[in-house]
Amino acid sequence: MAQENLSVVLHSKGDLRLENRPVPEPGPNDVLLQMHSVGICGSDVHYWQHGRIGDFVLTKPMVLGHEAAGTVVRIGSQVKHLKVGDRVAIEPGVPREMDEFFKSGRYNLSPTIFFCATPPDDGNLCQYYTHSANFCYKLPDNVTFEEGALIEPLSVGIHACRRAGVTIGSSVLICGADLFPDRLAKAKELGADFQVTVSKSDSPQQLAKKVEDLLGVQPQITIECTGAESCLQTAIYGTRSGGVVVLVGLGAEMATVPLINAAVREVDIRGVFRYCNTWPMAIAMLASGKVNVKPLVTHRFPLEQAVQAFKTTRQGLGIKVMLKCDKNDSNP
């Protein structure tokens, strides 16, 4: 077993370092993973730039990274369903206790949940990492490590669709890529029927009308992924009466929104916090070829170039930046 464990560690706001840490020992119900591919999320960049997200405040050095896949290299004494050599995707949220949320199947809402790269919990942007074996999911042979890492953002989409009640035939507006033509083009490539480029001079009501004109009808469901106040307003105005708005993006704690408009039209507004019970479905989607996430990876960097990778993400270049943690295997 290697003694080196190169890790990407955030020490304080703006202070991102590469440093060697000890290779951790797995507990009885854990596995030790050799990390392969870890995606950079906007939340990783936000912690780097601001040192906090809402009430989650960095108070001590923390390893970043939570979109990840790797290979089992050691198993804990109680682990039965995984073996050395298994390729796995990591679900980063692990309940610490069997509380009411755990028992009702909504463990993502547990206030004491462990979550990779959310203070004070370390993430997995490193060479070796231990994780609860119950939250490591074996990847089929036809699903790559990078696809395995992208199950995390895919899970946000799955959970949002479940919360919204998306089904076959649903008309859906997604607010999120609006200001970036290259991202809108990628959305079209991956299956979006229409794209609306947002101008900063457009009012929320004007944007809602543009969407209705394109679709020929108001969407039944809007999935709002920005957290920006103007987009929240557009989502409510743009959704059909009796429809659903799901809030995925997190912005300021307080926002001015047309709540009475939603109320009198019975537009339901539903929150989304991460995900739960999504990894098996996501793996099935990828293995069957029904969902293709491969084109989302636009940049790759070796772990040793993590700071440059973070700068690339911060600049908004491409879509997903992937860090490769295994020196001997840079394949997807």
Side-chain angles (χ1 to χ4, degrees), residues 106 109 159-160 163-164 245-248 269-274:
R106 301 181 74 179
L109 302 179
H159 188 56
R163 291 279 291 148
V245 174
V246 170
L247 306 181
V248 178
I269 300 172
R270 299 178 188 167
V272 163
F273 188 63
R274 298 172 180 158

Side-chain angles (χ1 to χ4, degrees), residues 1 3 7 46 85 198 306:
M1 178 64 61
Q3 297 308 304
S7 307
H46 199 280
V198 174

Side-chain angles (χ1 to χ4, degrees), residues 49-269:
Q49 293 294 294
H50 301 281
R52 67 183 298 161
I53 295 179
D55 294 333
F56 297 106
V57 182
L58 186 74
T59 57
K60 65 181 180 66
M62 176 181 77
V63 179
L64 291 173
H66 62 269
E67 304 177 0
T71 303
V72 176
V73 291
R74 191 178 296 164
I75 62 171
S77 58
Q78 301 300 309
V79 176
K80 307 296 183 199
H81 69 289
L82 293 173
K83 63 183 186 301
V84 171
D86 282 346
R87 301 162 57 252
V88 298
I90 299 167
E91 179 173 0
V94 180
R96 284 187 166 96
E97 56 186 309
M98 198 178 291
D99 59 14
E100 61 181 298
F101 300 105
F102 183 103
K103 287 187 280 189
S104 66
R106 301 181 74 179
Y107 55 86
N108 57 311
L109 302 179
S110 174
T112 60
I113 194 169
F114 167 92
F115 198 88
C116 293
T118 295
D121 302 326
D122 282 325
N124 42 38
L125 192 39
C126 50
Q127 289 173 309
Y128 293 95
Y129 169 75
T130 57
H131 199 70
S132 167
N134 286 325
F135 288 79
C136 294
Y137 298 82
K138 190 171 177 181
L139 292 172
D141 291 342
N142 67 332
V143 176
T144 67
F145 283 111
E146 288 187 356
E147 289 177 289
L150 287 169
I151 288 173
E152 196 278 342
L154 176 58
S155 284
V156 176
I158 291 170
H159 188 56
C161 288
R162 284 177 175 170
R163 291 279 291 148
V166 173
T167 187
I168 293 170
S170 298
S171 55
V172 182
L173 166 64
I174 301 171
C175 303
D178 323 63
L179 294 171
F180 302 98
D182 56 330
R183 294 191 171 211
L184 285 170
K186 184 65 73 174
K188 183 176 183 180
E189 177 190 327
L190 293 175
D193 294 302
F194 305 100
Q195 302 79 45
V196 180
T197 303
V198 174
S199 162
K200 293 192 176 178
S201 62
D202 289 331
S203 72
Q205 291 97 329
Q206 287 171 328
L207 280 172
K209 184 67 169 64
K210 276 189 184 180
V211 170
E212 183 178 2
D213 289 346
L214 270 177
L215 277 176
V217 66
Q218 285 187 307
Q220 298 158 305
I221 294 162
T222 298
I223 301 176
E224 206 299 296
C225 302
T226 71
E229 185 175 87
S230 61
C231 290
L232 294 170
Q233 295 167 358
T234 299
I236 291 173
Y237 286 128
T239 303
R240 190 183 311 178
S241 295
V244 178
V245 174
V246 170
L247 306 181
V248 178
L250 301 177
E253 184 178 0
M254 294 292 179
T256 301
V257 296
L259 201 56
I260 303 306
N261 177 284
V264 299
R265 298 193 301 112
E266 295 191 0
V267 173
D268 291 353
I269 300 172

